[in-house]
Amino acid sequence: MDEVFKALADESRRMLLDRLHARNGQTLGELCDGLEMTRQAVTKHLGILEGANLIATVKRGREKLHYLNPVPIHEIGVRWIGKFEVQRLDVLAELKRNLEQKDQIP
Amino acid sequence: MDEVFKALADESRRMLLDRLHARNGQTLGELCDGLEMTRQAVTKHLGILEGANLIATVKRGREKLHYLNPVPIHEIGVRWIGKFEVQRLDVLAELKRNLEQKDQIP
DNA sequence: TTTACATGCAACCATATGGTTGCCTATTTT
DNA sequence: AAAATAGGCAACCATATGGTTGCATGTAAA
């Protein structure tokens, strides 16, 4: 889980996931197109994403195809965000209540 | 958005959010209890969480109370995870299809 | 079988990050 | 007022991170 959060912490990596989300199964070269980064930098990012199990790769001839794996992101949603969602409005109400209470203690 | 992801990337910070989730409105000292970290380290983490708008603070006398703000986490769920959720099963099916297709090209 | 193409590997570099220590300030409590 | 409590500030340190360059390797096309 920690690896997933760490992988998602970088804007370049989130952008790579967005690209794969737009079109799955792209090669390294395709994923590099139009980026202001060397191919090696992209390779490292993809390695980190793969290490976090956020993408899976398949070698086809001399190319390497990259596929998005949304499962870990789904798990973040279920196991982490869900937990904080439940009490969303409640907490905001409580926060407001406490902030107002503060003014009553000089 | 980037700050939120960065803030969530650290295990210690996620743990602090968990603690506030368990009991909201704790002081710095309370949040430090039982942690193998100096108070100053915790202060820094809380500063980053506050910078990402994940917590709000209120000074009460010589204490500082910390409140969880679940809104940014909610936004991650809506604007980012949702996007990858929709196609979850579709993508897994496609991935499997492509992996199998690979074997047909020696 | 050369030549071109797609990717891999490794060393290196600057900055970001998480943590520490030491000291200062502001409230309580005695 | 003095002592204790809660927190803030700043300098410093080691390691992690994101990036680069240079060269090596495997595969496809001429």
Side-chain angles (χ1 to χ4, degrees):
Chain A
M1 179 67 78
D2 188 61
E3 282 189 305
V4 179
F5 275 109
K6 284 232 167 83
L8 294 178
D10 186 88
E11 170 64 34
S12 301
R13 287 193 287 269
R14 291 198 300 275
M15 179 214 54
L16 286 170
L17 291 182
D18 283 340
R19 285 193 159 205
L20 286 179
H21 181 254
R23 187 161 66 80
N24 212 7
Q26 294 185 66
T27 66
L28 212 205
E30 289 172 326
L31 287 170
C32 288
D33 271 354
L35 298 190
E36 306 227 322
M37 228 187 308
T38 58
R39 176 176 54 81
Q40 287 79 355
V42 176
T43 299
K44 280 196 188 179
H45 284 306
L46 291 172
I48 289 171
L49 290 171
E50 193 170 2
N53 198 29
L54 281 162
I55 62 176
T57 61
V58 184
K59 282 187 108 176
R60 176 121 83 196
R62 63 180 164 181
E63 310 184 305
K64 190 176 185 182
L65 307 182
H66 298 76
Y67 293 91
L68 198 145
N69 176 19
V71 174
I73 291 185
H74 173 249
E75 280 168 1
I76 283 192
V78 170
R79 292 165 54 185
W80 220 79
I81 297 200
K83 177 162 71 177
F84 289 84
E85 283 278 85
V86 181
Q87 53 156 20
R88 196 163 99 80
L89 294 180
D90 291 350
V91 167
L92 282 180
E94 189 200 341
L95 177 61
K96 196 175 175 191
R97 192 168 1 99
N98 273 284
L99 287 170
E100 285 162 353
Q101 188 182 350
K102 169 195 134 197
D103 297 332
Q104 300 167 2
I105 300 187
Chain B
M1 180 64 80
D2 188 59
E3 282 189 308
V4 179
F5 275 109
K6 284 231 167 83
L8 293 178
D10 186 88
E11 169 63 34
S12 301
R13 287 194 287 268
R14 292 197 301 274
M15 180 215 53
L16 286 170
L17 291 181
D18 283 340
R19 286 191 159 208
L20 287 179
H21 181 254
R23 187 162 67 81
N24 211 9
Q26 294 185 66
T27 66
L28 212 206
E30 289 172 326
L31 287 169
C32 288
D33 271 355
L35 297 190
E36 307 226 323
M37 230 188 307
T38 59
R39 176 176 53 82
Q40 287 78 355
V42 176
T43 299
K44 281 196 187 177
H45 284 306
L46 292 172
I48 290 170
L49 289 171
E50 194 171 1
N53 198 29
L54 279 162
I55 64 176
T57 62
V58 183
K59 281 187 112 176
R60 175 121 83 194
R62 64 179 165 184
E63 313 185 302
K64 189 175 187 183
L65 307 181
H66 297 77
Y67 293 91
L68 199 145
N69 175 20
V71 174
I73 291 184
H74 173 249
E75 279 168 0
I76 283 191
V78 170
R79 292 164 55 185
W80 220 79
I81 297 202
K83 177 162 72 175
F84 290 84
E85 283 278 85
V86 181
Q87 52 156 22
R88 196 165 98 79
L89 294 180
D90 291 351
V91 168
L92 283 180
E94 191 200 339
L95 178 61
K96 196 175 175 190
R97 193 168 1 98
N98 274 285
L99 287 169
E100 286 162 353
Q101 188 182 350
K102 168 196 137 197
D103 299 331
Q104 300 168 3
I105 301 185

